[in-house]
Coordinates of all heavy atoms in Angstrom, one line a residue:
M1425 N 7.6 -23.4 12.6 CA 7.4 -24.4 13.8 C 8.6 -24.3 14.8 O 9.7 -24.3 14.4 CB 7.2 -25.8 13.2 CG 7.2 -26.9 14.3 SD 6.9 -28.4 13.5 CE 5.7 -29.1 14.7
N1426 N 8.4 -24.2 16.0 CA 9.4 -24.3 17.0 C 10.0 -25.7 17.1 O 9.3 -26.7 17.1 CB 8.8 -23.9 18.5 CG 8.4 -22.4 18.4 OD1 8.9 -21.6 17.6 ND2 7.4 -22.0 19.2
N1427 N 11.3 -25.8 17.3 CA 12.0 -26.9 17.6 C 11.7 -27.4 19.0 O 11.7 -26.6 19.9 CB 13.4 -26.8 17.4 CG 13.8 -26.4 16.1 OD1 13.1 -26.6 15.1 ND2 14.9 -25.9 15.7
R1428 N 11.4 -28.7 19.2 CA 11.0 -29.2 20.5 C 12.3 -29.9 21.1 O 13.1 -30.4 20.4 CB 9.9 -30.1 20.3 CG 8.5 -29.3 20.1 CD 7.5 -30.3 19.7 NE 7.9 -30.9 18.5 CZ 7.4 -32.2 18.1 NH1 6.4 -32.6 18.8 NH2 7.8 -32.9 17.0
V1429 N 12.3 -30.1 22.4 CA 13.2 -30.8 23.1 C 12.6 -32.2 23.6 O 11.5 -32.1 24.3 CB 13.8 -30.0 24.3 CG1 14.8 -30.8 25.0 CG2 14.4 -28.8 23.8
H1430 N 13.2 -33.3 23.3 CA 12.9 -34.7 23.8 C 13.7 -35.2 24.6 O 15.1 -35.3 24.2 CB 12.6 -35.5 22.4 CG 11.6 -34.9 21.4 ND1 10.3 -35.0 21.6 CD2 12.1 -34.2 20.3 CE1 9.8 -34.4 20.5 NE2 10.7 -34.0 19.7
Q1431 N 13.5 -35.5 25.9 CA 14.4 -36.3 26.7 C 14.0 -37.8 26.4 O 12.9 -38.1 26.6 CB 14.1 -35.9 28.2 CG 14.6 -34.5 28.4 CD 15.2 -34.4 29.8 OE1 15.5 -35.3 30.5 NE2 15.0 -33.1 30.3
I1432 N 15.0 -38.6 26.0 CA 14.7 -39.9 25.7 C 15.9 -40.9 26.2 O 17.0 -40.5 26.5 CB 14.7 -40.2 24.1 CG1 16.0 -39.6 23.4 CG2 13.4 -39.5 23.6 CD1 16.0 -40.0 21.9
K1433 N 15.4 -42.1 26.5 CA 16.3 -43.2 27.1 C 17.2 -43.6 25.9 O 16.6 -43.9 24.9 CB 15.4 -44.2 27.8 CG 16.1 -45.4 28.2 CD 15.2 -46.5 28.7 CE 14.2 -46.2 29.8 NZ 13.4 -47.3 30.2
S1434 N 18.3 -43.9 26.3 CA 19.3 -44.5 25.2 C 20.2 -45.6 25.9 O 21.0 -45.2 26.7 CB 20.3 -43.5 24.6 OG 21.0 -43.9 23.6
W1435 N 19.9 -46.6 25.4 CA 20.7 -47.9 26.1 C 22.1 -47.7 25.8 O 22.6 -47.2 24.8 CB 20.1 -49.3 25.5 CG 18.8 -49.7 26.0 CD1 17.9 -48.9 26.5 CD2 18.4 -51.0 25.9 NE1 16.8 -49.8 26.9 CE2 17.0 -51.0 26.5 CE3 18.9 -52.2 25.4 CZ2 16.3 -52.2 26.6 CZ3 18.0 -53.3 25.5 CH2 17.0 -53.3 26.1
S1436 N 23.0 -48.3 26.7 CA 24.4 -47.9 26.7 C 25.0 -48.4 25.4 O 25.8 -47.8 24.8 CB 25.0 -48.6 27.9 OG 24.6 -48.1 29.0
K1437 N 24.6 -49.6 24.8 CA 25.1 -50.1 23.7 C 24.8 -49.2 22.4 O 25.6 -49.4 21.4 CB 24.6 -51.5 23.3 CG 23.2 -51.7 23.0 CD 22.9 -53.1 22.7 CE 21.4 -53.3 22.3 NZ 21.1 -54.7 22.0
F1438 N 23.8 -48.3 22.5 CA 23.6 -47.3 21.4 C 24.3 -46.0 21.8 O 24.8 -45.3 21.0 CB 22.1 -47.2 21.2 CG 21.5 -48.5 20.8 CD1 20.5 -49.1 21.5 CD2 21.9 -49.2 19.7 CE1 19.9 -50.2 21.1 CE2 21.4 -50.4 19.2 CZ 20.3 -51.0 20.1
F1439 N 24.2 -45.6 23.0 CA 24.5 -44.3 23.5 C 26.2 -44.1 23.4 O 26.4 -43.0 22.9 CB 24.1 -44.2 24.9 CG 24.6 -42.9 25.7 CD1 23.8 -41.7 25.5 CD2 25.8 -42.8 26.2 CE1 24.3 -40.6 26.0 CE2 26.2 -41.6 26.9 CZ 25.5 -40.5 26.6
R1440 N 26.9 -45.0 23.8 CA 28.2 -44.9 23.7 C 28.8 -44.8 22.4 O 29.7 -43.8 22.2 CB 29.0 -46.1 24.5 CG 28.7 -46.0 26.0 CD 29.3 -47.1 26.8 NE 28.8 -47.1 28.1 CZ 29.1 -47.9 29.0 NH1 29.5 -49.2 28.8 NH2 28.7 -47.8 30.4
P1441 N 28.5 -45.6 21.3 CA 29.0 -45.1 20.0 C 28.4 -43.8 19.5 O 29.1 -43.1 18.6 CB 28.4 -46.3 19.1 CG 27.9 -47.4 20.1 CD 27.7 -46.7 21.3
I1442 N 27.4 -43.3 20.0 CA 26.9 -42.0 19.6 C 27.9 -40.9 20.1 O 28.4 -40.0 19.4 CB 25.5 -41.8 20.0 CG1 24.5 -42.5 19.2 CG2 25.1 -40.3 19.9 CD1 23.1 -42.5 19.6
V1443 N 28.2 -41.0 21.3 CA 29.2 -40.0 22.0 C 30.6 -40.2 21.4 O 31.2 -39.2 21.5 CB 29.0 -39.9 23.5 CG1 27.5 -39.5 23.9 CG2 29.5 -41.2 24.1
A1444 N 30.8 -41.4 21.0 CA 32.2 -41.6 20.4 C 32.4 -41.2 19.0 O 33.4 -41.2 18.4 CB 32.6 -43.0 20.6
G1445 N 31.2 -40.7 18.4 CA 31.2 -40.3 16.9 C 31.2 -41.5 16.1 O 31.4 -41.3 14.9
E1446 N 30.8 -42.7 16.6 CA 30.8 -43.9 15.5 C 29.4 -44.2 15.1 O 29.3 -45.1 14.2 CB 31.4 -45.0 16.3 CG 32.8 -44.9 16.8 CD 33.3 -45.9 18.1 OE1 32.3 -46.7 18.3 OE2 34.3 -45.9 18.3
R1447 N 28.4 -43.5 15.6 CA 27.0 -43.7 15.2 C 26.4 -42.4 15.2 O 26.4 -41.5 16.0 CB 26.3 -44.7 16.4 CG 25.0 -44.9 15.9 CD 24.4 -45.9 17.2 NE 22.9 -45.9 17.2 CZ 22.3 -46.9 17.0 NH1 22.9 -48.1 16.5 NH2 20.9 -46.9 16.8
S1448 N 25.6 -42.2 14.1 CA 25.0 -40.8 14.0 C 23.4 -41.0 13.5 O 22.9 -40.1 12.8 CB 25.7 -40.1 12.8 OG 25.7 -40.8 11.6
H1449 N 22.8 -42.0 14.1 CA 21.5 -42.1 13.8 C 20.7 -43.0 15.1 O 21.3 -43.4 15.9 CB 21.2 -43.0 12.6 CG 21.5 -44.4 12.7 ND1 22.9 -44.8 12.7 CD2 20.9 -45.5 12.9 CE1 22.8 -46.2 12.8 NE2 21.7 -46.5 13.0
E1450 N 19.4 -42.7 15.2 CA 18.7 -43.4 16.1 C 17.4 -44.0 15.4 O 16.7 -43.2 14.6 CB 18.1 -42.3 17.1 CG 19.0 -42.1 18.2 CD 19.1 -43.2 19.3 OE1 18.0 -43.5 19.9 OE2 20.2 -43.8 19.4
L1451 N 17.1 -45.2 15.6 CA 15.9 -45.8 15.1 C 14.9 -45.7 16.3 O 15.1 -46.3 17.4 CB 16.0 -47.3 14.6 CG 14.8 -47.9 14.4 CD1 14.1 -47.4 13.1 CD2 15.1 -49.5 14.2
R1452 N 13.8 -45.0 16.1 CA 12.9 -44.8 17.1 C 11.4 -45.0 16.8 O 11.1 -44.8 15.6 CB 13.0 -43.2 17.6 CG 14.2 -42.7 18.1 CD 14.9 -43.2 19.2 NE 14.1 -43.2 20.4 CZ 14.7 -43.5 21.6 NH1 16.0 -43.9 21.7 NH2 14.0 -43.4 22.7
R1453 N 10.7 -45.4 17.8 CA 9.1 -45.4 17.5 C 8.9 -43.9 17.5 O 9.1 -43.2 18.3 CB 8.5 -46.0 18.6 CG 6.9 -46.2 18.5 CD 6.2 -46.7 19.7 NE 6.6 -48.0 19.9 CZ 6.4 -49.3 19.3 NH1 5.5 -49.0 18.2 NH2 6.9 -50.4 19.5
N1454 N 8.2 -43.5 16.5 CA 7.7 -42.0 16.1 C 6.4 -41.8 17.0 O 5.4 -41.2 16.3 CB 7.5 -41.6 14.7 CG 7.6 -40.1 14.6 OD1 7.9 -39.5 15.5 ND2 7.3 -39.8 13.3
D1455 N 6.5 -41.8 18.4 CA 5.4 -41.5 19.1 C 5.5 -40.1 19.7 O 4.7 -39.8 20.6 CB 5.3 -42.6 20.3 CG 6.6 -42.6 21.2 OD1 7.6 -42.0 20.7 OD2 6.5 -43.3 22.2
R1456 N 6.5 -39.3 19.2 CA 6.7 -38.0 19.6 C 6.5 -36.9 18.6 O 6.9 -35.7 18.7 CB 7.9 -37.9 20.3 CG 8.0 -38.7 21.7 CD 9.4 -38.6 22.2 NE 9.7 -39.4 23.2 CZ 10.1 -39.0 24.4 NH1 10.4 -37.9 24.7 NH2 10.2 -40.0 25.5
D1457 N 6.2 -37.4 17.3 CA 6.2 -36.6 16.1 C 7.5 -35.8 15.9 O 7.5 -34.6 15.7 CB 5.0 -35.6 16.3 CG 4.7 -34.8 14.9 OD1 5.0 -35.4 13.9 OD2 4.3 -33.7 15.0
Y1458 N 8.5 -36.6 15.9 CA 9.9 -35.9 15.6 C 9.9 -35.1 14.4 O 9.3 -35.5 13.4 CB 10.9 -37.2 15.7 CG 11.2 -37.9 16.9 CD1 10.7 -39.1 17.1 CD2 11.7 -37.2 18.1 CE1 10.8 -39.8 18.2 CE2 12.0 -37.9 19.1 CZ 11.6 -39.3 19.4 OH 11.7 -40.0 20.5
Q1459 N 10.7 -34.0 14.3 CA 10.8 -33.2 13.3 C 12.4 -32.9 13.1 O 13.1 -32.8 14.1 CB 10.1 -32.0 13.3 CG 8.6 -32.2 13.5 CD 8.0 -32.8 12.3 OE1 8.2 -32.5 11.2 NE2 7.0 -33.8 12.5
V1460 N 12.7 -32.5 12.0 CA 14.0 -32.1 11.7 C 14.2 -30.8 12.5 O 13.3 -30.0 12.4 CB 14.4 -31.9 10.1 CG1 15.7 -31.2 9.9 CG2 14.4 -33.1 9.4
G1461 N 15.4 -30.7 13.1 CA 15.6 -29.4 14.0 C 15.2 -29.7 15.5 O 15.8 -28.9 16.3
D1462 N 14.7 -30.7 15.8 CA 14.3 -31.1 17.3 C 15.5 -31.3 17.9 O 16.5 -31.8 17.2 CB 13.4 -32.3 17.3 CG 11.9 -31.8 17.0 OD1 11.6 -30.7 16.8 OD2 11.0 -32.7 17.1
I1463 N 15.5 -31.2 19.2 CA 16.8 -31.5 20.1 C 16.5 -32.7 20.9 O 15.3 -32.8 21.5 CB 16.9 -30.3 21.0 CG1 17.3 -29.0 20.2 CG2 18.3 -30.5 22.0 CD1 18.4 -29.0 19.3
L1464 N 17.4 -33.7 20.9 CA 17.3 -34.8 21.6 C 18.2 -34.7 22.8 O 19.4 -34.5 22.7 CB 17.7 -36.2 20.8 CG 16.8 -36.2 19.6 CD1 17.3 -37.7 18.9 CD2 15.3 -36.3 19.7
I1465 N 17.7 -35.0 24.1 CA 18.5 -35.2 25.2 C 18.6 -36.7 25.5 O 17.6 -37.4 25.8 CB 18.1 -34.4 26.4 CG1 17.8 -33.0 26.2 CG2 19.0 -34.7 27.7 CD1 19.0 -32.2 25.9
L1466 N 19.6 -37.4 25.0 CA 19.8 -38.8 25.1 C 20.4 -39.1 26.4 O 21.5 -38.5 26.8 CB 20.8 -39.4 24.0 CG 20.3 -39.1 22.7 CD1 21.4 -39.3 21.7 CD2 19.2 -39.9 22.4
R1467 N 19.6 -39.8 27.4 CA 20.2 -40.2 28.6 C 20.5 -41.6 28.6 O 19.8 -42.4 28.3 CB 19.1 -39.9 29.7 CG 18.6 -38.4 29.7 CD 17.6 -38.1 30.7 NE 18.1 -38.5 32.0 CZ 17.3 -39.1 33.1 NH1 16.0 -39.2 32.8 NH2 17.7 -39.4 34.2
E1468 N 21.9 -42.0 29.0 CA 22.2 -43.2 28.8 C 21.5 -44.2 30.0 O 21.6 -43.8 31.2 CB 23.8 -43.4 29.2 CG 24.3 -44.7 29.1 CD 25.8 -44.9 29.1 OE1 26.4 -43.9 29.8 OE2 26.4 -45.9 28.9
Y1469 N 21.0 -45.3 29.4 CA 20.3 -46.1 30.5 C 21.0 -47.6 30.4 O 21.3 -48.0 29.2 CB 18.9 -46.3 30.0 CG 18.0 -47.2 30.7 CD1 17.5 -46.8 32.0 CD2 17.8 -48.6 30.3 CE1 16.7 -47.6 32.7 CE2 17.0 -49.3 31.1 CZ 16.4 -48.9 32.4 OH 15.8 -49.7 33.2
D1470 N 21.2 -48.2 31.5 CA 21.9 -49.5 31.6 C 20.8 -50.5 31.8 O 20.3 -50.5 32.9 CB 23.0 -49.5 32.6 CG 23.6 -50.9 32.9 OD1 23.2 -51.9 32.1 OD2 24.7 -51.0 33.6
P1471 N 20.3 -51.3 30.9 CA 19.2 -52.2 31.1 C 19.6 -53.2 32.0 O 18.6 -53.7 32.7 CB 19.0 -52.7 29.7 CG 20.2 -52.4 28.8 CD 20.9 -51.3 29.5
E1472 N 20.8 -53.7 32.1 CA 21.2 -54.6 33.1 C 21.1 -54.2 34.6 O 20.6 -54.8 35.4 CB 22.7 -55.2 32.9 CG 22.7 -55.9 31.6 CD 24.1 -56.5 31.4 OE1 25.0 -56.5 32.4 OE2 24.4 -56.8 30.2
A1473 N 21.5 -52.9 34.9 CA 21.3 -52.3 36.2 C 19.9 -51.8 36.3 O 19.4 -51.6 37.5 CB 22.2 -51.2 36.4
G1474 N 19.1 -51.5 35.3 CA 17.7 -51.1 35.4 C 17.7 -49.7 35.8 O 16.8 -49.2 36.4
D1475 N 18.7 -49.0 35.4 CA 18.8 -47.5 35.8 C 19.6 -46.6 35.0 O 20.4 -47.2 34.1 CB 19.4 -47.4 37.3 CG 19.0 -46.2 38.1 OD1 18.3 -45.4 37.6 OD2 19.5 -46.0 39.2
Y1476 N 19.5 -45.3 35.0 CA 20.2 -44.4 34.2 C 21.6 -44.3 34.8 O 21.8 -44.5 36.1 CB 19.6 -43.0 34.2 CG 18.3 -43.0 33.3 CD1 17.0 -43.2 34.1 CD2 18.3 -42.9 32.0 CE1 16.0 -43.1 33.3 CE2 17.1 -42.7 31.3 CZ 15.9 -42.9 31.9 OH 14.8 -42.9 31.4
T1477 N 22.6 -44.0 33.9 CA 24.0 -44.1 34.4 C 24.4 -42.7 34.9 O 25.4 -42.5 35.5 CB 25.0 -44.4 33.3 OG1 24.9 -43.4 32.1 CG2 24.6 -45.8 32.6
G1478 N 23.8 -41.6 34.4 CA 24.2 -40.3 34.7 C 24.7 -39.6 33.6 O 24.8 -38.3 33.5
S1479 N 25.1 -40.3 32.4 CA 25.8 -39.7 31.3 C 24.6 -39.4 30.4 O 23.5 -39.9 30.3 CB 26.6 -40.6 30.5 OG 27.7 -40.9 31.5
A1480 N 24.8 -38.2 29.7 CA 23.7 -37.7 28.7 C 24.6 -36.9 27.6 O 25.6 -36.5 27.7 CB 22.8 -36.8 29.4
C1481 N 23.8 -36.8 26.5 CA 24.3 -36.0 25.4 C 23.1 -35.1 24.7 O 22.0 -35.7 24.9 CB 25.1 -36.6 24.4 SG 24.2 -37.7 23.3
E1482 N 23.4 -34.1 24.2 CA 22.3 -33.3 23.5 C 22.7 -33.5 22.0 O 23.9 -33.5 21.5 CB 22.4 -31.8 23.8 CG 21.5 -31.0 23.1 CD 21.5 -29.5 23.4 OE1 21.0 -29.2 24.5 OE2 22.2 -28.9 22.8
A1483 N 21.7 -33.8 21.1 CA 21.9 -34.0 19.7 C 20.7 -33.1 19.0 O 19.6 -33.1 19.5 CB 22.0 -35.4 19.3
V1484 N 21.0 -32.8 17.7 CA 20.0 -32.1 17.0 C 19.6 -33.2 15.7 O 20.5 -33.9 15.3 CB 20.5 -30.8 16.4 CG1 21.7 -30.9 15.5 CG2 19.3 -30.1 15.7
V1485 N 18.4 -33.2 15.4 CA 18.0 -33.9 14.4 C 18.2 -33.3 13.1 O 17.7 -32.1 12.9 CB 16.4 -34.4 14.5 CG1 15.9 -35.2 13.3 CG2 16.1 -35.1 15.8
T1486 N 19.1 -33.9 12.3 CA 19.4 -33.3 11.0 C 18.7 -33.8 9.8 O 18.6 -33.1 8.8 CB 21.0 -33.5 10.7 OG1 21.3 -34.7 10.6 CG2 21.8 -32.8 11.9
S1487 N 18.1 -35.0 9.9 CA 17.4 -35.6 8.8 C 16.5 -36.7 9.3 O 16.8 -37.2 10.4 CB 18.3 -36.2 7.8 OG 17.6 -36.9 6.7
M1488 N 15.5 -37.1 8.6 CA 14.6 -38.0 9.1 C 14.0 -38.9 8.1 O 13.7 -38.3 7.0 CB 13.4 -37.2 9.8 CG 12.5 -38.2 10.6 SD 11.2 -37.1 11.5 CE 9.9 -38.3 11.5
T1489 N 14.0 -40.1 8.2 CA 13.2 -41.1 7.3 C 12.1 -41.7 8.0 O 12.2 -42.3 9.0 CB 14.3 -42.2 6.8 OG1 15.4 -41.5 6.1 CG2 13.6 -43.1 5.7
S1490 N 10.9 -41.8 7.4 CA 9.7 -42.5 7.9 C 8.9 -43.0 6.7 O 9.2 -42.7 5.5 CB 8.9 -41.6 8.8 OG 8.5 -40.5 8.2
Q1491 N 7.8 -43.5 6.9 CA 6.9 -43.9 5.8 C 6.4 -42.6 5.2 O 6.0 -42.5 4.1 CB 5.7 -44.8 6.3 CG 6.2 -46.2 6.4 CD 4.9 -47.2 6.4 OE1 3.8 -46.9 6.8 NE2 5.1 -48.4 5.9
E1492 N 6.2 -41.5 6.0 CA 5.7 -40.3 5.6 C 6.7 -39.5 4.8 O 6.5 -38.6 4.0 CB 5.1 -39.3 6.7 CG 3.9 -39.9 7.3 CD 4.1 -41.1 8.4 OE1 5.3 -41.1 8.8 OE2 3.3 -41.9 8.4
R1493 N 8.0 -39.8 5.2 CA 9.2 -39.1 4.7 C 10.3 -40.2 4.2 O 11.2 -40.5 4.7 CB 10.0 -38.3 5.7 CG 9.1 -37.1 6.1 CD 9.9 -36.4 7.1 NE 9.7 -34.9 7.1 CZ 10.2 -34.1 7.8 NH1 11.1 -34.4 8.7 NH2 10.0 -32.8 7.7
P1494 N 9.9 -41.0 3.1 CA 10.5 -42.1 2.7 C 11.9 -41.7 2.1 O 12.2 -40.6 1.6 CB 9.7 -42.8 1.6 CG 8.8 -41.7 1.1 CD 8.7 -40.8 2.3
C1495 N 12.9 -42.8 2.2 CA 14.0 -42.6 1.5 C 13.9 -42.9 0.0 O 12.9 -43.3 -0.5 CB 15.2 -43.6 2.1 SG 14.9 -45.3 1.6
A1496 N 14.9 -42.5 -0.8 CA 14.9 -42.7 -2.3 C 14.7 -44.1 -2.8 O 14.2 -44.3 -3.7 CB 16.1 -42.0 -2.8
V1497 N 15.1 -45.0 -2.0 CA 15.0 -46.5 -2.4 C 13.6 -47.0 -2.3 O 13.1 -47.5 -3.4 CB 15.9 -47.2 -1.6 CG1 15.8 -48.8 -2.1 CG2 17.3 -46.8 -1.7
S1498 N 12.9 -46.9 -1.3 CA 11.5 -47.4 -1.2 C 10.8 -46.8 0.0 O 11.3 -46.4 0.9 CB 11.6 -48.8 -0.8 OG 10.5 -49.4 -0.5
D1499 N 9.4 -46.6 -0.3 CA 8.6 -46.1 0.8 C 8.0 -47.2 1.7 O 7.2 -46.9 2.6 CB 7.4 -45.4 0.2 CG 6.5 -46.1 -0.7 OD1 6.8 -47.3 -1.0 OD2 5.4 -45.6 -1.2
E1500 N 8.5 -48.5 1.5 CA 8.1 -49.6 2.2 C 9.2 -50.1 3.1 O 8.9 -51.1 3.6 CB 7.4 -50.7 1.3 CG 6.3 -50.2 0.4 CD 5.9 -51.3 -0.4 OE1 6.3 -52.5 -0.6 OE2 5.0 -51.0 -1.3
G1501 N 10.2 -49.6 3.2 CA 11.4 -50.0 3.9 C 11.3 -50.0 5.4 O 12.2 -50.4 6.2
L1502 N 10.4 -49.2 6.0 CA 10.4 -48.9 7.4 C 8.9 -49.1 7.9 O 7.9 -48.7 7.2 CB 10.7 -47.5 7.6 CG 11.1 -46.9 8.9 CD1 12.3 -47.8 9.6 CD2 11.6 -45.5 9.0
N1503 N 8.8 -49.8 9.0 CA 7.4 -50.2 9.5 C 6.8 -48.7 9.9 O 7.5 -47.9 10.4 CB 7.5 -51.0 10.8 CG 7.8 -52.4 10.4 OD1 7.7 -52.8 9.3 ND2 8.5 -53.1 11.3
A1504 N 5.4 -48.8 9.8 CA 4.7 -47.7 10.1 C 4.9 -47.4 11.6 O 5.0 -48.3 12.4 CB 3.2 -47.9 9.9
G1505 N 4.9 -46.0 12.0 CA 5.2 -45.9 13.3 C 6.5 -45.7 13.9 O 6.8 -45.4 15.0
F1506 N 7.5 -45.9 12.9 CA 8.9 -45.9 13.3 C 9.6 -44.9 12.4 O 9.1 -44.5 11.3 CB 9.6 -47.2 13.1 CG 9.3 -48.2 14.3 CD1 8.1 -48.9 14.4 CD2 10.2 -48.3 15.4 CE1 7.8 -49.8 15.4 CE2 9.8 -49.1 16.4 CZ 8.8 -49.8 16.3
C1507 N 10.7 -44.3 12.8 CA 11.5 -43.4 12.1 C 13.0 -43.6 12.4 O 13.4 -44.2 13.4 CB 11.1 -41.9 12.4 SG 11.3 -41.5 14.0
I1508 N 13.8 -43.2 11.4 CA 15.2 -43.1 11.5 C 15.5 -41.7 11.6 O 15.4 -40.9 10.7 CB 16.0 -43.8 10.4 CG1 15.6 -45.4 10.3 CG2 17.5 -43.7 10.6 CD1 16.0 -46.0 9.1
L1509 N 16.3 -41.2 12.7 CA 16.7 -39.9 12.9 C 18.2 -39.8 12.7 O 18.9 -40.4 13.3 CB 16.3 -39.4 14.3 CG 14.9 -39.6 14.7 CD1 14.6 -39.3 16.2 CD2 14.1 -38.8 13.9
S1510 N 18.5 -39.1 11.7 CA 20.0 -38.8 11.7 C 20.2 -37.6 12.7 O 19.5 -36.6 12.7 CB 20.3 -38.2 10.2 OG 20.2 -39.2 9.3
I1511 N 21.3 -37.7 13.4 CA 21.6 -36.7 14.5 C 23.1 -36.3 14.5 O 23.9 -37.0 14.1 CB 21.2 -37.4 16.0 CG1 22.1 -38.6 16.2 CG2 19.7 -37.6 16.1 CD1 21.8 -39.2 17.7
R1512 N 23.3 -35.2 15.1 CA 24.6 -34.5 15.4 C 24.6 -34.1 16.7 O 23.9 -33.4 17.3 CB 24.8 -33.3 14.5 CG 26.2 -32.6 14.5 CD 26.4 -31.5 13.5 NE 25.3 -30.7 13.4 CZ 25.0 -29.5 14.1 NH1 25.7 -29.4 15.1 NH2 23.9 -28.9 13.7
V1513 N 25.7 -34.7 17.6 CA 25.8 -34.4 18.9 C 26.3 -32.9 19.0 O 27.2 -32.6 18.2 CB 26.7 -35.3 19.6 CG1 27.1 -34.9 21.0 CG2 26.4 -36.7 19.6
T1514 N 25.6 -32.2 19.8 CA 25.9 -30.7 20.1 C 26.6 -30.4 21.5 O 27.1 -29.4 21.6 CB 24.8 -29.8 19.8 OG1 23.7 -30.2 20.6 CG2 24.4 -29.9 18.4
A1515 N 26.3 -31.4 22.4 CA 26.7 -31.1 23.8 C 26.8 -32.5 24.4 O 26.0 -33.4 24.3 CB 25.9 -30.2 24.5
M1516 N 27.8 -32.7 25.4 CA 27.8 -33.8 26.2 C 28.1 -33.4 27.7 O 28.6 -32.4 28.0 CB 29.0 -34.8 25.7 CG 28.7 -35.4 24.4 SD 30.1 -36.4 23.9 CE 31.2 -35.2 23.3
T1517 N 27.5 -34.3 28.5 CA 28.0 -34.2 30.0 C 28.2 -35.6 30.7 O 27.4 -36.5 30.2 CB 27.0 -33.3 30.7 OG1 27.3 -33.1 32.1 CG2 25.5 -34.0 30.7
E1518 N 28.7 -35.7 31.7 CA 28.9 -37.0 32.3 C 27.8 -37.1 33.4 O 27.4 -38.2 33.7 CB 30.1 -37.2 32.9 CG 31.3 -37.5 31.9 CD 31.0 -38.7 31.1 OE1 30.6 -39.8 31.7 OE2 31.1 -38.7 30.0
D1519 N 27.5 -35.9 34.1 CA 26.4 -36.0 35.0 C 25.5 -34.8 35.1 O 26.0 -33.7 35.2 CB 27.1 -36.1 36.4 CG 26.1 -36.2 37.6 OD1 24.8 -36.2 37.4 OD2 26.6 -36.2 38.8
L1520 N 24.3 -34.9 34.7 CA 23.4 -33.8 34.6 C 23.3 -33.1 36.0 O 23.3 -31.9 36.0 CB 22.0 -34.2 34.1 CG 22.0 -34.6 32.6 CD1 20.5 -35.1 32.3 CD2 22.3 -33.4 31.8
G1521 N 23.1 -33.8 36.9 CA 23.1 -33.1 38.3 C 22.3 -32.0 38.4 O 22.4 -31.2 39.4
G1522 N 21.1 -32.0 37.7 CA 20.2 -30.9 37.7 C 20.7 -29.6 37.1 O 20.0 -28.6 37.0
R1523 N 21.8 -29.6 36.4 CA 22.4 -28.3 36.0 C 22.1 -28.3 34.5 O 22.4 -27.3 33.9 CB 24.0 -28.3 36.0 CG 24.3 -28.3 37.6 CD 25.9 -28.4 37.6 NE 26.4 -29.4 36.8 CZ 26.9 -30.6 37.4 NH1 27.1 -30.6 38.7 NH2 27.4 -31.4 36.7
G1524 N 21.6 -29.3 33.9 CA 21.3 -29.2 32.5 C 22.5 -29.6 31.7 O 23.5 -29.9 32.3
V1525 N 22.5 -29.6 30.4 CA 23.6 -30.1 29.5 C 24.5 -29.0 29.3 O 24.1 -27.8 28.9 CB 23.0 -30.7 28.3 CG1 24.1 -31.0 27.2 CG2 22.1 -31.9 28.5
R1526 N 25.8 -29.1 29.5 CA 26.8 -28.1 29.2 C 27.0 -28.0 27.7 O 27.3 -28.9 27.0 CB 28.1 -28.5 29.9 CG 28.1 -28.4 31.4 CD 29.4 -28.7 31.9 NE 30.1 -29.8 31.5 CZ 30.1 -30.9 32.2 NH1 29.4 -31.1 33.3 NH2 30.7 -32.0 31.8
R1527 N 27.0 -26.8 27.1 CA 27.2 -26.7 25.7 C 28.7 -26.2 25.4 O 29.2 -25.4 26.1 CB 26.2 -25.5 25.2 CG 24.8 -25.9 25.3 CD 24.0 -24.7 24.9 NE 22.5 -25.0 25.0 CZ 21.9 -25.7 24.1 NH1 22.4 -26.0 23.0 NH2 20.5 -25.9 24.2
P1528 N 29.3 -26.8 24.4 CA 30.5 -26.3 24.2 C 30.6 -24.9 23.6 O 29.6 -24.5 23.1 CB 31.1 -27.3 23.0 CG 29.9 -28.1 22.6 CD 28.8 -27.9 23.6
A1529 N 31.6 -24.3 23.7 CA 31.7 -22.8 23.3 C 31.4 -22.6 21.8 O 30.8 -21.6 21.4 CB 33.0 -22.1 23.7
S1530 N 31.6 -23.5 21.0 CA 31.5 -23.4 19.5 C 29.9 -23.6 19.1 O 29.6 -23.4 18.1 CB 32.2 -24.5 18.9 OG 31.9 -25.8 19.1
V1531 N 29.1 -24.1 20.1 CA 27.7 -24.3 19.6 C 26.9 -22.9 20.0 O 27.1 -22.3 20.9 CB 27.1 -25.5 20.3 CG1 25.6 -25.6 20.1 CG2 27.8 -26.8 20.0

């Protein structure tokens, strides 16, 4: 299966800890059939301003928990239609500016 790229909105209170390395997961509605290996382009969104900030990062899905892929503790711990994506940031940019996400040389 080919890995897909998903451009998704990420509120500032979640986005900033992700790029700072303090958060490594996303709780999402699984309306895109996310899979391990998929690429997320997280675009920072400021809900108070009602607009995107211009900051973005790219992350790869490294693990996934859902009702179809339960954790070891319980298959009832997550509502149907939602998933927890473990992610690893692979690239960051302050302003996409139509140029796409800059990748660090090590990726």
